[in-house]
């Protein structure tokens, strides 16, 4: 965490906390309207209610036309809130070890 804060790139803001509170984190960092949320957190191993809460938080981040991208080992993220997110675009990324599936959703504008 402290190392990341010293990383010399003005585009990087660092915040430590659970993605369950992503809206609060974004407001704290003055990024309350992100174009995209990219996540590698393990939706397959967390309790379903925590995963659903995170997906609702991400979806309500006011992302009109914005994207949510999750790279995952397991497909569980697609089952947690299908009515909210709809069907994702799915791509297998072989350049990651182990290969992961990349799920991408776009929120209607
Ligand atoms: C498999 S590691 C992936 C690390 C990194 N994102 C990557 O792709 O290399 C999963 C990470 O998700 C984080 N994580 C798990 N649950 C989380 C949550 N509710 N909110 C934020 N991060 C979480 C863990 O702390 C861990 O660092």
């Amino acid at each position: 965490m402290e190392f990341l804060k010293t990383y010399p790139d003005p585009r990087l803001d660092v915040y430590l906390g659970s993605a369950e509170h992503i809206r609060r984190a974004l407001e704290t960092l003055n990024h309350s309207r992100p174009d995209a949320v990219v996540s590698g957190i393990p939706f397959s191993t967390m309790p379903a209610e925590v995963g659903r809460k995170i997906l609702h938080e991400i979806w309500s981040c006011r992302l009109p036309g914005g994207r949510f991208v999750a790279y995952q080992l397991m497909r569980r993220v697609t089952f947690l809130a299908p009515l909210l997110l709809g069907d994702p675009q799915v791509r297998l990324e072989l350049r990651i070890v182990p290969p992961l599936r990349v799920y991408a959703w776009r929120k209607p504008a």
Side-chain angles (χ1 to χ4, degrees):
M1 171 85 176
E2 294 309 315
F3 164 74
L4 280 176
K5 283 183 174 173
T6 65
Y7 193 78
D9 187 328
R11 297 170 300 176
L12 178 67
D13 285 318
V14 179
Y15 185 96
L16 179 62
S18 172
E20 292 166 86
H21 312 296
I22 188 170
R23 278 189 297 177
R24 186 166 71 207
L26 290 168
E27 282 163 18
T28 301
L29 298 169
N30 285 322
H31 294 307
S32 54
R33 293 179 63 85
D35 294 324
V37 174
V38 180
S39 174
I41 64 175
F43 284 96
S44 55
T45 56
M46 65 181 64
E49 63 272 19
V50 173
R52 279 190 210 103
K53 178 168 185 211
I54 292 171
L55 294 174
H56 277 84
E57 281 278 305
I58 290 171
W59 213 240
S60 58
C61 278
R62 291 175 284 154
L63 281 162
R67 280 180 173 254
F68 169 49
V69 178
Y71 51 97
Q72 301 282 300
L73 203 51
M74 314 288 277
R75 298 172 53 200
R76 188 158 178 252
V77 66
T78 66
F79 303 130
L80 287 173
L83 295 180
L84 179 71
L85 275 63
D87 292 330
Q89 288 183 328
V90 188
R91 187 165 56 85
L92 180 64
E93 179 53 70
L94 297 172
R95 290 171 293 180
I96 306 173
V97 179
L100 298 176
R101 285 196 165 71
V102 181
Y103 301 94
W105 291 265
R106 186 183 288 279
K107 187 170 179 178

